Amino acid sequence: MINISFPDGAVRPYDSGISPMAIAKGISEGLAKKVIAASINGQVKDASTPITNDASLKLLTWDDTDGRNTFWHSSAHLLAEAVEATFPGVKFWVGPAVDRGFYYDMDLGDQTISESDLLALEKKMDELARKNSVFIRKEISKSDAVSYFFEKGDEYKLDLLKGLQDGEITFYTQGEFTDLCRGPHIPHTGLIKAIKLTSVAGAYWKGDENNKQLTRVYGITFPTQKELDEHLLMLEEAKKRDHRKLGKELGIFTFDDDIGPGLPLWMPNGTIIIEELENLAKQTETAAGYKRVVTPHIAKESLYLTSGHLPYYQESMYPPMELEGVKYYLKAMNCPHHHKIFSAESRSYKDLPLRLAEYGTCYRYEQSGELFGLMRVRCLHMNDAHIYCSKDDFAKEFRAVNEMYIKYFKIFGIEKYVMRLSLHDPAKLGQKYIDEPELWIETENMVRKVLIESNIPFVEVPDEGAFYGPKIDVQIWSAIGREFTLATNQVDFAQGKRFGLEYTNKDNHAETPLIIHRAPLGTHERFIGFLLEHYAGKFPLWLSPVQVKLLPISDKFNDYALSVNKQLLEAGIRSEVDDRGEKIGKKIRDTELMKVPYMLIIGEKEVTDGTVSVRRQGKGDAGQCSVSEILSTLTAEISNRQSN
RNA sequence: GCCGUUGUAGCUCAGUGGUAGAGCACUUCCUUGGUAAGGAAGAGGUCUGGGGUUCAAUUCCCCAUAACGGCUCCA
């Protein structure tokens, strides 16, 4: 007999060799039907695994992340089975579960799968699933495994086998399909009730762009059709929030073939948002002791040789223009320009920390395939600043910057983000990273300490640092689930030296300052793209391009509406009159769709009483009030930068 | 940059080997209407660009370009 302990703390005796599935059946048939896999002593295993020692057991169902991942991984095998039946001779690489679903990478030789084939594959998968094929696990010797795939002519699996030891190799077979796989898998294919193949794409073998490109088919599956329908509905909803769609509908930005890819045109409504964000930044930075500067969009090659950017990042810069034998580059970053402002005057420790801020315009030649709405562009406006400080001041300055981040995130109600401490990889010193091993360790420790002391949750990732130092990136997700760095806060112990930046310390010696690069609001492009999705286009009043729309019931009341409008405009409120010859229902509908926060309706009653009728976007009629009342409501809400 | 898909009116999209259509938006007129779409008329397109096949190409083929879905990249 062995003792099995359950998540609720219960411990029960069972015969040695019993499987989690058998245990589930002992509890209830209903549970057994739902069991996908089992976590035995914290390890995810097949539900059929015999347990021979005392163990802790958690039966995994669709409701567990590990359960879902197993379900999707098995679905990838089912996809492979369907593909093999449809495209003979196909060779498979790997087919893991991902955040939402799964994929399988394959080499189809001369054949291609197009999106129109996906429906047929779905049908085939469905047909195979309904056979309730059991996933059979088999331990196999390395030599047998090699000869199996050698005969099949599958060099990809042979490559996988190279990295595996005898004794740890297992095959899984369901129906006609056998795969090299460590598992675990769901009990049988019949659990997969709803299947959707979402897309087909190219993917480099082993993620290396020098390797052959394989075909990747993405899909998602569910235990019930209802859940698939809900998932598809959710995707539809996400699409409505997509900043590319909203940006067009709300007149925020546009792209034009004659301007160029990745070069957004900011329309009047978008420009208002830009200006409001800049006002916020200026106000916040001035209060925090920053000084504003302005620098040109281009600079000579020599500047980027000094900074060290050119050898590292030339490919990401627009090619130079040559004038009188001198090469000029469009700036891809503002830091070298700011360093030159630092060095333009002699500096004393009394001048530090010196904080230079600029909403700098940068141009980056991003790869064409990477451009993505406003989130990844080639012309960007960075909420940039560089803080030059002594080592002693570093922690205080770095903490103040982090506090500014948090303050901003509170204003915008940003809750879903991850702070990522990006470190260097010692193996890449001198290539990807400045070759200063001790300084790396020292500054990384300084940053980590600040984060811990400020109680900011963060994750550490190796090999993500800037070439001049470690950084903190704030990661966010777009409506369609793509991850982006929204903002960044970087330490730089290299450029000060490269630019020969110096200040005179108390002992009358020259010292090189540490530099903090920071951009809490990221770039206008990415930040506004993010805000569009974050607010689903319903900006808070202070950011709304149009804050108030006056809606006269008929043109008889246009004059009164215009006079109210004048008062609002004079109070600095962005207000417009809808004087079209439309009915009030139509005017309200159009204004609602444009997501204008306040509608003021004006008819006979209002003109007589000298009032307006207030309607808040999405909330309906809020009753009558006087013009002075609504004025003070609006101005208060705007100046507080109140969120909705 | 690579693989795949797509490109028709300002927007969303039908459609066809014989030079094009809907809804919304726009203009004008009628309607003067009280909290999410009143009615009528009109204007608007080198069917992304360039080549090819064909008596004839928006439609079929090739190239370019842009967007989209991924991969790779991301100071």
Side-chain angles (χ1 to χ4, degrees):
Chain A
M1 294 295 269
I2 53 169
N3 287 314
I4 303 289
S5 57
F6 293 87
D8 63 359
V11 178
R12 269 172 260 159
Y14 286 98
D15 290 333
S16 177
I18 192 164
S19 72
M21 185 53 88
I23 291 173
K25 277 184 180 149
I27 296 169
S28 87
E29 276 297 327
L31 176 64
K33 272 187 198 156
K34 279 168 45 187
V35 167
I36 283 172
S39 171
I40 304 172
N41 294 326
Q43 287 197 309
V44 186
K45 298 278 190 191
D46 292 335
S48 58
T49 310
I51 308 175
T52 50
N53 290 305
D54 289 359
S56 67
L57 174 70
K58 181 168 194 243
L59 296 167
L60 299 175
T61 68
W62 174 256
D63 298 325
D64 303 289
T65 307
D66 285 331
R68 270 199 299 276
N69 285 340
T70 304
F71 191 88
W72 284 331
H73 180 203
S74 299
S75 302
H77 279 233
L78 184 65
L79 165 64
E81 188 183 356
V83 171
E84 196 168 57
T86 318
F87 299 85
V90 59
K91 298 166 191 172
F92 293 103
W93 172 233
V94 291
V98 291
D99 270 3
R100 286 187 288 188
F102 59 90
Y103 66 79
Y104 216 121
D105 281 352
M106 54 194 86
D107 181 353
L108 291 154
D110 300 334
Q111 309 171 89
T112 53
I113 291 186
S114 71
E115 300 200 1
S116 51
D117 296 321
L118 295 183
L119 217 60
L121 279 174
E122 268 172 31
K123 249 181 105 179
K124 185 76 191 169
M125 284 174 75
D126 203 47
E127 184 189 315
L128 294 169
R130 268 187 263 148
K131 290 185 177 172
N132 298 337
S133 307
V134 174
F135 281 86
I136 301 160
R137 181 175 187 272
K138 185 181 163 197
E139 287 173 14
I140 188 163
S141 71
K142 185 161 178 175
S143 59
D144 284 353
V146 167
S147 58
Y148 176 85
F149 284 111
F150 188 79
E151 244 167 67
K152 218 177 163 187
D154 193 331
E155 64 263 34
Y156 301 101
K157 293 294 179 189
L158 288 170
D159 187 86
L160 267 184
L161 279 166
K162 267 192 224 157
L164 298 176
Q165 303 290 325
D166 229 338
E168 61 174 22
I169 297 168
T170 50
F171 276 12
Y172 274 83
T173 303
Q174 98 274 6
E176 300 292 310
F177 179 72
T178 296
D179 203 357
L180 169 68
C181 182
R182 82 165 73 86
H185 280 284
I186 61 177
H188 63 87
T189 58
L191 295 171
I192 304 170
K193 302 275 195 216
I195 301 165
K196 179 78 190 167
L197 295 179
T198 45
S199 69
V200 51
Y204 299 108
W205 184 43
K206 295 185 179 179
D208 184 336
E209 61 181 322
N210 299 311
N211 283 344
K212 180 166 182 176
Q213 194 152 46
L214 305 177
T215 302
R216 174 173 297 179
V217 177
Y218 280 91
I220 190 161
T221 50
F222 294 90
T224 65
Q225 182 64 36
K226 185 165 164 267
E227 279 160 296
L228 173 59
D229 292 342
E230 281 167 5
H231 173 77
L232 295 176
L233 193 70
M234 196 195 76
L235 290 182
E236 287 301 310
E237 288 302 310
K239 262 190 207 162
K240 287 186 197 159
R241 288 180 94 98
D242 192 315
H243 76 278
R244 293 167 296 185
K245 183 174 156 66
L246 285 170
K248 182 160 272 176
E249 287 169 358
L250 303 179
I252 307 291
F253 67 96
T254 189
F255 288 97
D256 186 282
D257 283 357
D258 281 331
I259 304 289
L263 303 172
L265 293 166
W266 289 98
M267 299 168 82
N269 285 348
T271 306
I272 286 166
I273 299 170
I274 284 182
E275 285 174 351
E276 286 296 346
L277 290 176
E278 291 195 10
N279 289 342
L280 171 67
K282 283 174 190 169
Q283 202 179 315
T284 309
E285 286 163 4
T286 303
Y290 287 70
K291 291 176 173 144
R292 302 206 77 76
V293 295
V294 174
T295 65
H297 291 197
I298 63 171
K300 293 203 287 198
E301 179 184 37
S302 53
L303 184 73
Y304 301 108
L305 287 170
T306 304
S307 72
H309 283 106
L310 215 41
Y312 284 90
Y313 301 115
Q314 188 164 21
E315 281 190 6
S316 304
M317 295 173 77
Y318 275 86
M321 53 197 119
E322 197 163 329
L323 296 156
E324 297 177 332
V326 180
K327 283 183 187 161
Y328 287 82
Y329 282 89
L330 279 166
K331 72 175 169 185
M333 64 293 294
N334 304 301
C335 28
H337 292 75
H338 290 182
H339 301 339
K340 288 296 187 185
I341 290 175
F342 182 95
S343 66
E345 295 173 0
S346 64
R347 305 288 179 183
S348 135
Y349 72 95
K350 292 175 188 165
D351 299 323
L352 303 192
L354 181 68
R355 311 177 189 90
L356 300 179
E358 173 180 20
Y359 248 109
T361 309
C362 298
Y363 297 87
R364 300 179 177 182
Y365 196 76
E366 303 286 357
Q367 293 188 16
S368 57
E370 252 316 321
L371 301 174
F372 179 75
L374 281 181
M375 300 297 223
R376 193 79 180 268
V377 290
R378 288 180 173 163
C379 172
L380 42 103
H381 297 83
M382 215 191 301
N383 172 224
D384 214 356
H386 296 91
I387 300 171
Y388 303 84
C389 66
S390 67
K391 229 181 228 177
D392 290 343
D393 282 339
F394 173 81
K396 190 167 151 266
E397 288 300 310
F398 200 80
R399 181 168 309 150
V401 169
N402 279 322
E403 278 160 13
M404 192 181 283
Y405 277 65
I406 306 289
K407 185 182 163 185
Y408 281 142
F409 290 176
K410 222 170 153 187
I411 291 176
F412 294 103
I414 301 172
E415 280 156 13
K416 195 195 167 202
Y417 64 90
V418 168
M419 288 246 186
R420 192 175 76 174
L421 171 54
S422 300
L423 309 169
H424 77 299
D425 178 353
K428 294 183 185 165
L429 284 169
Q431 301 147 46
K432 191 173 169 185
Y433 304 109
I434 297 283
D435 194 7
E436 298 273 7
E438 283 118 52
L439 274 171
W440 275 104
I441 306 281
E442 191 184 341
T443 49
E444 284 173 3
N445 286 338
M446 280 160 73
V447 173
R448 189 180 291 113
K449 198 166 156 236
V450 170
L451 283 170
I452 291 167
E453 283 174 2
S454 326
N455 243 331
I456 296 172
F458 65 99
V459 294
E460 297 198 15
V461 283
D463 199 17
E464 286 284 339
F467 81 92
Y468 44 64
K471 58 177 179 172
I472 296 173
D473 290 326
V474 181
Q475 301 302 109
I476 49 102
W477 289 266
S478 77
I480 60 166
R482 203 182 285 190
E483 182 177 351
F484 287 95
T485 299
L486 185 67
T488 178
N489 185 7
Q490 313 177 344
V491 188
D492 179 354
F493 50 76
Q495 286 199 58
K497 222 178 263 179
R498 296 188 72 101
F499 276 87
L501 304 186
E502 287 180 343
Y503 66 93
T504 308
N505 68 12
K506 277 183 190 164
D507 305 324
N508 201 25
H509 293 308
E511 263 191 61
T512 302
L514 270 181
I515 303 166
I516 298 171
H517 304 235
R518 43 111 280 174
L521 298 179
T523 63
H524 281 323
E525 288 71 16
R526 194 169 284 179
F527 201 75
I528 292 174
F530 167 78
L531 287 183
L532 270 165
E533 303 194 348
H534 177 63
Y535 292 126
K538 296 170 192 164
F539 288 101
L541 189 63
W542 70 280
L543 277 174
S544 283
V546 179
Q547 294 170 317
V548 177
K549 198 99 177 182
L550 296 159
L551 309 179
I553 302 262
S554 91
D555 58 13
K556 286 188 287 194
F557 314 114
N558 281 357
D559 286 345
Y560 178 79
L562 285 166
S563 78
V564 175
N565 191 48
K566 190 160 172 262
Q567 293 178 66
L568 292 169
L569 290 173
E570 278 166 2
I573 292 161
R574 295 184 289 270
S575 166
E576 292 175 358
V577 179
D578 185 348
D579 57 3
R580 296 175 303 165
E582 297 288 352
K583 285 190 170 177
I584 192 66
K586 171 73 167 161
K587 290 184 183 183
I588 287 171
R589 178 179 157 80
D590 288 347
T591 313
E592 285 280 349
L593 290 176
M594 286 305 284
K595 306 184 199 308
V596 174
Y598 277 93
M599 282 156 261
L600 303 182
I601 289 146
I602 288 162
E604 185 84 54
K605 216 165 38 181
E606 289 76 13
V607 173
T608 314
D609 302 349
T611 59
V612 291
S613 277
V614 180
R615 183 189 161 98
R616 277 229 69 171
Q617 199 271 337
K619 295 189 182 121
D621 196 351
Q624 258 177 280
C625 76
S626 72
V627 175
S628 61
E629 249 177 289
I630 190 68
L631 257 173
S632 60
T633 305
L634 292 169
T635 44
E637 192 176 331
I638 290 167
S639 63
N640 297 336
R641 295 199 171 93
Q642 210 166 301
S643 42
N644 292 337

